Amino acid sequence: YNLGFLIESVGGTTGFSSATVEVNNDKVDTSLRGYVDNDWGLIFQRPAGWFDVDYFPDQNFLQTASRDEEQYMFVYPGDSDVTDLKEVAQGVIDQYSLDSNGKFKKVKVAGKDGLEFTFNYTNDTGTYYGRAVAIYQDDLDFGLVFSSEAMSKDDMNTNYQLFLDHLTLFSATEVKAKDT
């Protein structure tokens, strides 16, 4: 690929530059699609063929779903200044009225300490099973909960493993500071 860049200085002088970039997709898993969120500092993958990841401002979460809407992946933000992972997780459990057994397990996710928990809920479609992990994003001053929810426990566990295997966290604050 040949990429071109139009550059404008503060004084209004413009210039053009280009660079040739070679992309090798030989090892790319075409059954997955990536998502990058510069506001929350995260990258994850979802199954190809699912709906795009969308932010729902009224509910304040990110969501993607299978086309039959029997499988979901969510990212829920915790409350500001809540650093305790159990409080972050419990906040999401309470906010969305999830039925949890109250058991939490310490795990490592993307190089960070995480707290894993399971839950379920029933809505007008049926019963969903969930598995999630809470982590704390230091630069944002709030936690995030990554949740896989599905009508099948196997699907729920498979999609949760996608989070564990492919989640990358970065400093959203540092990225914004470099944005010109």
Side-chain angles (χ1 to χ4, degrees):
Y1 297 100
N2 191 9
L3 303 176
F5 306 93
L6 179 60
I7 302 167
E8 183 174 348
S9 71
V10 177
T13 304
T14 61
F16 180 81
S17 184
S18 67
T20 302
V21 178
E22 185 176 321
V23 178
N24 181 341
N25 289 330
D26 291 345
K27 296 181 181 178
V28 171
D29 184 345
T30 58
S31 69
L32 300 174
R33 296 291 179 266
Y35 174 75
V36 178
D37 193 295
N38 287 329
D39 293 322
W40 289 354
L42 58 95
I43 301 169
F44 69 88
Q45 292 186 343
R46 62 178 167 78
W50 280 30
F51 290 106
D52 289 341
V53 177
D54 283 320
Y55 175 67
F56 291 81
D58 292 343
Q59 295 86 4
N60 192 30
F61 57 64
L62 296 172
Q63 173 194 304
T64 182
S66 60
R67 295 288 174 176
D68 62 8
E69 297 183 349
E70 291 184 4
Q71 303 175 63
Y72 291 88
M73 294 170 81
F74 288 94
V75 182
Y76 302 104
D79 293 327
S80 294
D81 300 321
V82 176
T83 60
D84 181 83
L85 294 180
K86 190 172 181 183
E87 287 183 45
V88 171
Q90 193 63 52
V92 169
I93 290 167
D94 293 344
Q95 181 175 359
Y96 297 100
S97 303
L98 306 174
D99 295 323
S100 177
N101 63 10
K103 294 180 182 179
F104 298 92
K105 175 184 171 187
K106 292 181 181 181
V107 295
K108 282 285 190 187
V109 181
K112 289 192 173 221
D113 291 331
L115 198 61
E116 183 180 271
F117 61 99
T118 59
F119 59 90
N120 63 69
Y121 58 89
T122 302
N123 61 21
D124 56 352
T125 307
T127 299
Y128 286 82
Y129 303 95
R131 192 168 170 198
V133 63
I135 59 97
Y136 184 73
Q137 278 289 62
D138 303 312
D139 69 306
L140 298 177
D141 240 3
F142 59 83
L144 295 169
V145 174
F146 297 88
S147 176
S148 170
E149 303 168 20
M151 297 184 89
S152 154
K153 286 184 181 180
D154 287 342
D155 289 338
M156 178 264 301
N157 284 319
T158 298
N159 297 328
Y160 180 73
Q161 196 62 46
L162 270 178
F163 271 140
L164 296 184
D165 292 345
H166 298 286
L167 181 63
T168 302
L169 301 169
F170 59 88
S171 171
T173 306
E174 287 179 18
V175 169
K176 285 180 187 171
K178 292 179 182 179
D179 187 7
T180 57

